């Protein structure tokens, strides 16, 4: 009867309650009924971390898409810490841990985890998140990460907007105009890109175009 928009969160909330009560078997029974989702599988692996099947479960968790996965529970910190330590090559565990830290306002810890993910993942939201946290402290790194996000996620207009908007913010007006122009042609139905293009035109003195 769990039919809400994010059913995995309901299952996970119940399972976490059981885990907090030191009832891992009951938690696993709940998670066995949950839909296929990355955080669910990481929790299943962690709850059985002393058993042989943990490695296979961890492999399954890592293979699942990170799209629309937003861990936020403090109880998930040891889960992802264990996963990242057990499988150092799993960038997703580090990324999820960084998201939890970010939600807990532990920005420095989030930056550390995002940095540990490296530059090889082909997942744009990782780079957008890392760039956002570096905007003030390291503008060069932020710009590079927005560029990576656009490169690996060029089919999403938001990644173009992030890069063009930040370029405009940093005074790179010509670069921003080129990006905004190309994005507006590529995604003609997105009004936000048209507004961004007008801003870039104004910054470059092209008032009639704006």
């Amino acid at each position: 009867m769990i039919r809400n928009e994010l059913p995995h969160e309901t299952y996970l909330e119940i399972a976490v309650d059981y885990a907090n009560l030191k009832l891992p078997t009951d938690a696993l029974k709940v998670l066995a009924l949950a839909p296929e989702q990355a955080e669910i599988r990481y929790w299943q692996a962690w709850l059985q971390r002393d058993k042989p099947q943990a490695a296979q479960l961890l492999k399954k968790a890592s293979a699942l898409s990170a799209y629309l996965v937003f861990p936020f529970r403090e109880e998930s910190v040891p889960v992802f810490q264990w996963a990242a330590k057990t499988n150092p090559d799993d960038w997703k565990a580090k990324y999820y841990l960084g998201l939890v830290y970010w939600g807990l306002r532990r920005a420095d810890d989030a930056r550390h985890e995002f940095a540990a993910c490296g530059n090889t993942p082909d997942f744009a939201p990782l780079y957008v998140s890392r760039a956002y946290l570096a905007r003030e402290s390291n503008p060069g790194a932020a710009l590079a990460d927005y560029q990576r996000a656009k490169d690996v996620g060029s089919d999403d207009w938001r990644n173009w907007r992030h890069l063009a908007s930040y370029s405009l913010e940093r005074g790179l007006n010509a670069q921003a105009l080129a990006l905004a122009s190309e994005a507006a042609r590529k995604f003609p139905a997105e009004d936000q890109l048209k507004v961004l293009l007008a801003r870039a035109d104004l910054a470059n003195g092209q008032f009639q175009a704006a």
Side-chain angles (χ1 to χ4, degrees):
M1 299 300 292
I2 297 176
R3 301 172 182 171
N4 56 35
E5 185 180 10
L6 300 172
H8 66 274
E9 295 290 0
T10 302
Y11 286 102
L12 190 54
E13 188 67 23
I14 297 170
V16 170
D17 285 342
Y18 279 122
N20 288 338
L21 293 170
K22 309 299 182 184
L23 298 171
T25 301
D26 296 274
L28 286 167
K29 287 180 181 178
V30 173
L31 294 178
L33 302 173
E36 189 81 345
Q37 196 263 357
E39 190 174 7
I40 295 288
R41 298 296 171 245
Y42 277 104
W43 266 89
Q44 285 179 317
W46 183 74
L47 289 169
Q48 302 176 82
R49 58 193 179 279
D50 297 325
K51 298 180 180 179
Q53 59 264 42
Q56 188 62 28
L57 286 167
L58 195 57
K59 185 177 179 180
K60 287 183 179 179
S62 178
L64 290 173
S65 172
Y67 180 65
L68 296 182
V69 179
F70 301 114
F72 62 89
R73 295 174 178 83
E74 190 170 7
E75 292 93 340
S76 293
V77 168
V79 175
F80 294 122
Q81 285 178 334
W82 168 81
K85 184 177 180 180
T86 303
N87 184 8
D89 294 330
D90 180 14
W91 66 266
K92 290 177 184 175
K94 302 181 184 73
Y95 168 64
Y96 297 144
L97 181 58
L99 289 180
V100 177
Y101 282 147
W102 193 0
L104 295 173
R105 299 187 180 185
R106 295 170 58 176
D108 288 340
D109 291 325
R111 290 188 191 95
H112 175 79
E113 296 302 327
F114 290 157
C117 294
N119 297 324
T120 56
D122 60 348
F123 188 63
L126 161 63
Y127 301 116
V128 172
S129 300
R130 196 164 69 185
Y132 187 88
L133 287 176
R135 288 167 66 95
E136 300 299 329
S137 60
N138 195 339
L143 188 64
D145 274 333
Y146 280 132
Q147 180 68 53
R148 291 188 187 96
K150 196 270 288 183
D151 291 343
V152 302
S154 59
D155 57 342
D156 189 333
W157 64 271
R158 297 167 185 82
N159 297 321
W160 290 80
R161 182 175 63 83
H162 285 310
L163 178 58
S165 182
Y166 190 63
S167 297
L168 198 59
E169 183 179 322
R170 302 306 304 178
L172 304 172
N173 296 336
Q175 176 178 314
L177 179 57
L179 286 164
S181 298
E182 186 175 355
R185 287 193 299 269
K186 188 177 177 68
F187 306 97
E190 298 300 336
D191 289 340
Q192 289 193 48
L193 293 179
K194 297 172 187 175
V195 174
L196 178 61
L197 177 55
R199 290 174 51 213
D201 280 326
L202 288 174
N204 283 273
Q206 299 188 18
F207 307 117
Q208 189 62 41

